Amino acid sequence: MTIETSAETGASTANESLHISGKSELDEIIAEHDVVLADFYADWCGPCQMLEPIVKKLAADTGATVAKVDVDANQQLAAAYGVRGVPTLVLFADGEQVEEIVGLQGEDQLRTLIDTYTE
């Protein structure tokens, strides 16, 4: 697994969502970035599909790195974080889980939540 970050700018966020394929990969991203929003989703989930453009926008223009976790492909990882429904968003700040949001959320609400930890 290779994660490319911008060494030239020293940036600690990614402009695109990072697709996660296991616990060690998520742990590495959480350790490398100050604020990480993990989006636990399923392809068959209607609310997840509605949340997708919001999550992409947040990845592009907030201080958070967005990690996408497909719960069908990563059942053990989802269970480790207590994910019982999708979409579930888990926010990490400084390596620690600080928030968990279940269900479809609005962009403004999520942006405000992220800003609480990035400012």
Side-chain angles (χ1 to χ4, degrees):
M1 174 200 76
T2 302
I3 299 174
E4 295 182 19
T5 56
S6 176
E8 295 174 1
T9 62
S12 63
T13 62
N15 288 338
E16 295 181 6
S17 301
L18 305 171
H19 289 269
I20 304 303
S21 60
K23 184 170 180 3
S24 61
E25 188 176 357
L26 181 59
D27 289 345
E28 186 177 318
I29 290 168
I30 292 167
E32 289 178 1
H33 301 277
D34 295 335
V35 177
V36 176
L37 180 66
D39 176 14
F40 289 84
Y41 74 97
D43 290 333
W44 48 262
C45 166
C48 298
Q49 294 169 4
M50 293 168 57
L51 187 62
E52 177 66 16
I54 295 170
V55 170
K56 281 186 177 181
K57 193 167 185 181
L58 293 171
D61 60 0
T62 68
T65 298
V66 174
K68 301 279 294 173
V69 181
D70 181 341
V71 297
D72 291 328
N74 296 283
Q75 292 178 8
Q76 289 182 330
L77 180 57
Y81 284 97
V83 174
R84 296 186 180 184
V86 287
T88 295
L89 300 170
V90 179
L91 188 66
F92 298 89
D94 299 321
E96 300 293 324
Q97 181 176 338
V98 293
E99 302 281 347
E100 180 178 315
I101 304 111
V102 179
L104 183 60
Q105 304 295 316
E107 180 182 344
D108 291 340
Q109 180 182 0
L110 292 173
R111 187 176 300 278
T112 299
L113 184 66
I114 291 168
D115 289 347
T116 302
Y117 295 96
T118 57
E119 293 179 347

